[in-house]
Amino acid sequence: RSDKETTTTTTGTRYSYRVVMIRGHTELDMRGRCSAGQKVLSSIIIRIALSEAFGINCGVLALDEPTTNLDRENIEGLAKSLANLIKIRSEQASNFQLIIITHDEEFLRYLREAGTSEYYWRVRMDENQHS
């Protein structure tokens, strides 16, 4: 949400933004009110929205440990949303790639069940710390 507070400087106009959650007909400022999991989800949603708005021709979206601080219900919901995003972006461009770095096996299981990914790579280190 963009508040009407704007300032004009020599480098351009600056807007004051805040993240809100809408419950019913009430806007709740998320600052100080949300859990760590809600912060992670809102951060992912904002990044995906920005990539859709400004990088639709970019074929790569990378997420590093996107399930940190999420409960199982939100992890499953995130996997379903990403599966839907993969489907939509794959129809828009043949070069779309989603790179996810995670240790969450259950999250990967949800993504596999959605059937949207062609490849999965598991990277491990040996006793000499070589992958």
Side-chain angles (χ1 to χ4, degrees):
R1 174 175 168 90
S2 173
D3 292 330
K4 294 193 181 342
E5 299 175 28
T6 59
T7 55
T8 304
T9 64
T10 56
T11 59
T13 302
R14 304 180 115 201
Y15 295 90
S16 177
Y17 288 95
R18 63 190 175 105
V19 178
V20 296
M21 177 172 40
I22 298 175
R23 291 281 181 148
H25 298 289
T26 306
E27 282 186 7
L28 299 170
D29 210 345
M30 288 189 71
R31 184 183 301 265
R33 284 205 168 109
C34 59
S35 68
Q38 288 171 319
K39 288 177 187 177
V40 169
L41 279 177
S42 64
S43 173
I44 291 170
I45 290 167
I46 290 167
R47 283 186 255 160
I48 290 173
L50 288 171
S51 76
E52 289 291 309
F54 299 110
I56 195 68
N57 293 326
C58 178
V60 178
L61 176 63
L63 300 173
D64 183 14
E65 297 292 350
T67 60
T68 301
N69 295 320
L70 298 184
D71 60 17
R72 288 293 132 201
E73 181 182 336
N74 283 319
I75 289 171
E76 185 176 2
L78 176 62
K80 287 178 182 177
S81 295
L82 287 174
N84 189 42
L85 176 69
I86 291 167
K87 182 179 178 226
I88 290 168
R89 290 294 296 269
S90 296
E91 291 169 358
Q92 293 171 342
S94 61
N95 66 339
F96 179 69
Q97 297 177 47
L98 176 64
I99 300 169
I100 300 174
I101 301 164
T102 186
H103 294 94
D104 191 331
E105 295 285 336
E106 190 169 354
F107 177 63
L108 290 176
R109 184 176 56 79
Y110 290 136
L111 285 174
R112 276 193 306 270
E113 288 172 0
T116 55
S117 298
E118 296 176 22
Y119 305 102
Y120 292 92
W121 284 276
R122 182 182 296 241
V123 179
R124 298 178 191 226
M125 291 185 169
D126 64 16
E127 61 280 349
N128 296 318
Q129 301 298 310
H130 296 114
S131 55

